[in-house]
Amino acid sequence: MRGNMRSFGADSVLSVTLILVLSAARAFAQPQRGLVPGFFIFGDSLVDNGNNNRLVTLARANYRPYGIDFPQGSTGRFTNGRTYVDALAQLFGFPYYIPPYARTRGPALLRGVNYASGAAGIRDETGNNLGDHTSMNQQVANFGMTVEEMRRFFRGDNNALTSYLSKCIFYSGMGSNDYLNNYFMSDFYSTNHDYTPNAFASVLLQDYTRQLTQLYALGARKVIVTAIGQIGCIPYQLARYNGTNSRCNEKINSAISLFNSGLLKLVQNFNNGGLPGAKFVYLDSYKSSNDLSLNGTSSGNYFFHINLSLKPHNPARLSYTYACFEL
């Protein structure tokens, strides 16, 4: 996996369209602070930047060859260079990478924190086969502690803190490990026997709904949520898969498609009054990873698009202005 923006997909899409709009971001731009005042990140190894370094786990990346193309070396990022959210932070105007929660306290919290943890999932037991990790439930709890600490910097003015958080961007990418390191690891977990694919997607979405709603209650208003990519096509799965003529494990891809379609409906529900005042963006990592796997060798140039306006999803009113960045 390359450590630049090409690693995470050239054509990430917002629903059935491209995703990253810069022009409307001026609506919440902060003077001398880039486009947004803070960036808070929740997820797994795709965006972990060092939170697992001191944990007893196989899901660690603070050693070579990880980081061989990153200026700071092996920091705990599960890539040779930047992660997806590192590049996002730069696009948002931050002059630095968002630091991991494990080593961030004090005023630095105001500029954003990365809570992501390799092997983490929506369910608490997900990833236990690899060792310690910080599940989504604990990541949300950690953000709750961050909010309490941030309150001191606003001298107890809850309205000022709420206003500040409403201008920040929140990113949440969860679910991959709930399939890779839970549902499709039947030697270690019972979920595959306990739930049909439909039922498992349903219970995941119930838990994820609660977690995202908790973030909303803590102050999150502008939230990017990512679908699960085509994990049935990753090398780890292909090495284990003895299938048909398909080059991917379509059983896994079909299962995660059930989750992704439910997640899109969840985002639409949030934006249609389910969470008043919230603006959620659905980032279709499944389609982007498919496009990359099919067309990744056709050109050395990729384009990355992000919707910074964070407008509520409305397929009938996708009238955005797009800005493209060649990376």
Side-chain angles (χ1 to χ4, degrees), residues 172-233:
S172 182
M174 276 290 183
S176 295
N177 285 309
D178 292 292
Y179 286 94
L180 283 177
N181 289 300
N182 192 327
Y183 191 69
F184 286 104
M185 191 169 281
S186 55
D187 290 343
F188 200 94
Y189 300 95
S190 65
T191 47
N192 193 275
H193 304 290
D194 297 337
Y195 301 101
T196 65
N198 271 301
F200 188 66
S202 180
V203 297
L204 283 183
L205 288 165
Q206 288 174 14
D207 287 342
Y208 204 25
T209 300
R210 172 181 50 78
Q211 292 158 350
L212 293 173
T213 301
Q214 288 174 336
L215 288 180
Y216 171 85
L218 289 167
R221 291 297 181 271
K222 296 180 173 69
V223 185
I224 301 168
V225 292
T226 66
I228 303 174
Q230 284 194 315
I231 55 177
C233 301

Side-chain angles (χ1 to χ4, degrees), residues 38-326:
F39 185 24
F40 297 89
I41 300 156
F42 304 82
D44 50 31
S45 61
L46 288 177
V47 292
D48 184 357
N49 63 345
N51 285 309
N52 279 18
N53 288 357
R54 297 184 180 180
L55 299 183
V56 180
T57 177
L58 295 175
R60 277 187 359 199
N62 56 336
Y63 55 89
R64 291 174 69 87
Y66 296 111
I68 58 173
D69 298 316
F70 193 67
Q72 299 170 26
S74 302
T75 59
R77 290 166 169 81
F78 289 75
T79 177
N80 59 298
R82 292 181 298 166
T83 66
Y84 176 76
V85 293
D86 287 333
L88 267 184
Q90 290 180 303
L91 291 176
F92 287 149
F94 290 97
Y96 44 79
Y97 299 119
I98 303 302
Y101 176 73
R103 57 178 178 83
T104 307
R105 297 294 183 273
L109 295 170
L110 294 170
R111 296 185 291 272
V113 183
N114 186 330
Y115 301 90
S117 174
I122 294 169
R123 293 172 66 93
D124 286 338
E125 82 275 8
T126 290
N128 283 346
N129 54 298
L130 295 172
D132 293 342
H133 61 276
T134 307
S135 69
M136 183 59 174
N137 280 326
Q138 187 57 53
Q139 290 181 36
V140 173
N142 288 343
F143 176 64
M145 290 187 282
T146 296
V147 171
E148 288 304 310
E149 189 168 352
M150 290 172 66
R151 203 178 306 278
R152 296 190 296 113
F153 305 114
F154 290 88
R155 299 182 179 181
D157 188 337
N158 290 332
N159 290 333
L161 175 58
T162 298
S163 176
Y164 184 84
L165 289 173
S166 72
K167 297 179 178 69
C168 296
I169 301 294
F170 292 76
Y171 171 98
S172 182
M174 276 290 183
S176 295
N177 285 309
D178 292 292
Y179 286 94
L180 283 177
N181 289 300
N182 192 327
Y183 191 69
F184 286 104
M185 191 169 281
S186 55
D187 290 343
F188 200 94
Y189 300 95
S190 65
T191 47
N192 193 275
H193 304 290
D194 297 337
Y195 301 101
T196 65
N198 271 301
F200 188 66
S202 180
V203 297
L204 283 183
L205 288 165
Q206 288 174 14
D207 287 342
Y208 204 25
T209 300
R210 172 181 50 78
Q211 292 158 350
L212 293 173
T213 301
Q214 288 174 336
L215 288 180
Y216 171 85
L218 289 167
R221 291 297 181 271
K222 296 180 173 69
V223 185
I224 301 168
V225 292
T226 66
I228 303 174
Q230 284 194 315
I231 55 177
C233 301
I234 66 175
Y236 170 72
Q237 284 301 323
L238 297 182
R240 303 174 61 202
Y241 178 52
N242 295 314
T244 61
N245 293 329
S246 172
R247 65 177 184 174
C248 299
N249 187 332
E250 297 303 337
K251 181 179 180 180
I252 295 179
N253 286 341
S254 295
I256 62 178
S257 292
L258 297 171
F259 174 86
N260 287 342
S261 62
L263 183 61
L264 175 57
K265 292 177 182 177
L266 175 62
V267 167
Q268 292 170 332
N269 178 63
F270 283 162
N271 288 334
N272 291 328
L275 294 179
K279 297 177 182 179
F280 278 72
V281 165
Y282 175 83
L283 195 150
D284 194 345
S285 304
Y286 188 96
K287 185 178 187 302
S288 64
S289 59
N290 182 56
D291 291 344
L292 186 60
S293 66
L294 293 176
N295 306 310
T297 59
S298 63
S299 172
N301 296 321
Y302 295 99
F303 294 87
F304 183 69
H305 310 265
I306 301 273
N307 183 345
L308 294 188
S309 67
L310 298 182
K311 296 292 184 182
H313 177 83
N314 186 338
R317 297 185 180 182
L318 290 174
S319 57
Y320 300 139
T321 302
Y322 294 95
C324 302
F325 293 83
E326 184 171 357

